[in-house]
């Protein structure tokens, strides 16, 4: 049986933060423009490798990471014989922000990557639009731990990563610090369905609110992600008591 929830609305908000419904993510005009101009941005923001040199699965992974690249972020994946390490600087108000991979070393126990962060010079002619500067380091495939060293006067003090999940599924909805993988908005769900996503919230704790298509609250509660310092995976099953048709 399917739960009678056509037009399923799933709402999450940070514990102690702003109200629930207002935090449901909808693409801003800036984000839409970024997606429309993706090829141009990838050319501007990437230093080492051009987009068409990446495998299709790596390009898909990069595009999904760009949806999380609001704050400094790094993540890695192996594809074929290569290890790809994404390093993002977060959303910037203009173009001209660049990340250069200056050193890549495979040690006995770990991998070292040094990234130099450079802001545009005052008065420089740059793109007058929001950008998501990032770069991708490519190395031989390895499962060794990765250490990122940040260099540059404006380099971020800390770069988040993603914990608790290896592959990054499609992101269907979310807020600034919470994104949803499942269920997809507007979908019909089976009893006992599981909600899944990533959160970057204080102490890994987040509240959720489940609404029907009329805006009625079906359930409220909280759950925890696996890490409180990074983007971390969470999942839970709402304990709904509904009538089925």
């Amino acid at each position: 049986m399917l739960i009678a929830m056509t037009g399923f609305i799933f709402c999450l908000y940070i514990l102690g933060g702003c109200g629930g419904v207002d935090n449901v993510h909808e693409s801003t005009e800036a984000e839409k423009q970024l997606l429309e101009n993706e090829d141009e941005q990838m050319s501007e923001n990437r230093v080492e490798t051009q987009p068409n040199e990446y495998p299709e699965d790596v390009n898909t992974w990069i595009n999904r990471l760009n949806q999380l690249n609001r704050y400094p972020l790094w993540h890695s994946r192996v594809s074929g014989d290569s290890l790809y390490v994404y390093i993002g600087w977060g959303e910037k108000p203009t173009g001209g922000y660049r990340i250069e991979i200056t050193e890549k070393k495979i040690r006995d126990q770990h991998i070292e990557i040094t990234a130099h962060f450079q802001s545009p010079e005052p008065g420089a002619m740059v793109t007058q639009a929001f950008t998501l500067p990032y770069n991708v380091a490519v190395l031989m495939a390895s499962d060794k731990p990765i250490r990122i060293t940040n260099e540059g006067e404006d380099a971020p003090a800390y770069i988040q990563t993603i914990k608790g999940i290896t592959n990054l599924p499609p992101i269907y909805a979310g807020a600034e610090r919470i994104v949803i993988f499942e269920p997809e908005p507007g979908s019909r769900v089976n009893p006992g369905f599981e909600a899944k996503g990533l959160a970057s919230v204080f102490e890994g704790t987040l509240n959720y609110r489940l609404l029907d298509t009329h805006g009625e609250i079906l359930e409220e509660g909280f759950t925890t992600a696996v890490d409180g310092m990074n983007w971390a995976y969470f999942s839970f099953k709402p304990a709904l008591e509904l009538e089925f048709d």
Side-chain angles (χ1 to χ4, degrees):
M1 280 286 226
L2 295 177
I3 296 177
M5 291 172 59
T6 306
F8 174 75
I9 302 173
F10 192 72
C11 175
L12 290 174
Y13 57 95
I14 299 173
L15 183 64
C18 299
V21 175
D22 291 342
N23 280 320
V24 175
H25 177 78
E26 295 182 1
S27 295
T28 64
E29 288 303 316
E31 289 172 327
K32 292 176 181 177
Q33 188 66 33
L34 286 173
L35 292 174
E36 291 172 0
N37 297 331
E38 182 177 287
D39 291 339
E40 178 181 345
Q41 293 158 29
M42 293 174 84
S43 177
E44 175 182 348
N45 295 327
R46 184 175 302 155
V47 176
E48 292 187 336
T49 312
Q50 294 303 309
N52 58 8
E53 296 180 19
Y54 291 134
E56 182 177 353
D57 64 309
V58 175
N59 275 324
T60 298
W61 168 70
I62 290 172
N63 291 336
R64 291 173 183 172
L65 285 171
N66 280 340
Q67 297 180 61
L68 301 177
N69 188 14
R70 289 308 184 251
Y71 301 92
L73 169 74
W74 77 269
H75 195 228
S76 66
R77 79 173 275 135
V78 171
S79 179
D81 297 328
S82 297
L83 169 67
Y84 298 85
V85 183
Y86 174 106
I87 302 174
W89 200 347
E91 186 178 80
K92 298 300 178 183
T94 68
Y97 293 85
R98 296 186 177 278
I99 304 171
E100 181 180 1
I101 307 299
T102 58
E103 193 169 45
K104 301 178 293 185
K105 292 183 178 180
I106 300 179
R107 305 291 192 182
D108 290 339
Q109 302 298 324
H110 65 276
I111 294 172
E112 291 182 2
I113 298 176
T114 302
H116 182 84
F117 294 77
Q118 182 176 348
S119 300
E121 295 291 336
M125 297 293 291
V126 296
T127 301
Q128 296 301 308
F130 289 106
T131 59
L132 301 172
Y134 70 93
N135 203 340
V136 179
V138 184
L139 303 90
M140 294 177 56
S142 173
D143 59 358
K144 294 180 179 180
I146 298 171
R147 296 180 183 176
I148 309 291
T149 299
N150 310 328
E151 292 184 341
E153 183 177 347
D154 298 326
Y158 181 73
I159 301 181
Q160 292 182 309
T161 189
I162 300 173
K163 296 291 187 70
I165 189 171
T166 302
N167 294 318
L168 191 62
I171 297 171
Y172 290 115
E176 184 176 8
R177 291 288 192 174
I178 304 170
V179 296
I180 304 300
F181 300 143
E182 297 180 19
E184 183 177 354
S187 64
R188 291 174 64 89
V189 294
N190 292 309
F193 75 93
E194 189 171 12
K196 302 177 182 179
L198 291 175
S200 174
V201 293
F202 180 67
E203 294 185 344
T205 302
L206 57 122
N207 287 349
Y208 69 87
R209 177 178 295 164
L210 184 63
L211 310 177
D212 64 15
T213 53
H214 304 292
E216 297 293 329
I217 299 175
L218 301 176
E219 179 178 317
E220 292 182 297
F222 73 92
T223 188
T224 56
V226 298
D227 188 289
M229 289 291 293
N230 297 282
W231 280 101
Y233 179 74
F234 69 84
S235 65
F236 64 93
K237 293 183 178 180
L240 294 173
E241 295 183 1
L242 299 176
E243 296 182 0
F244 306 107
D245 50 9

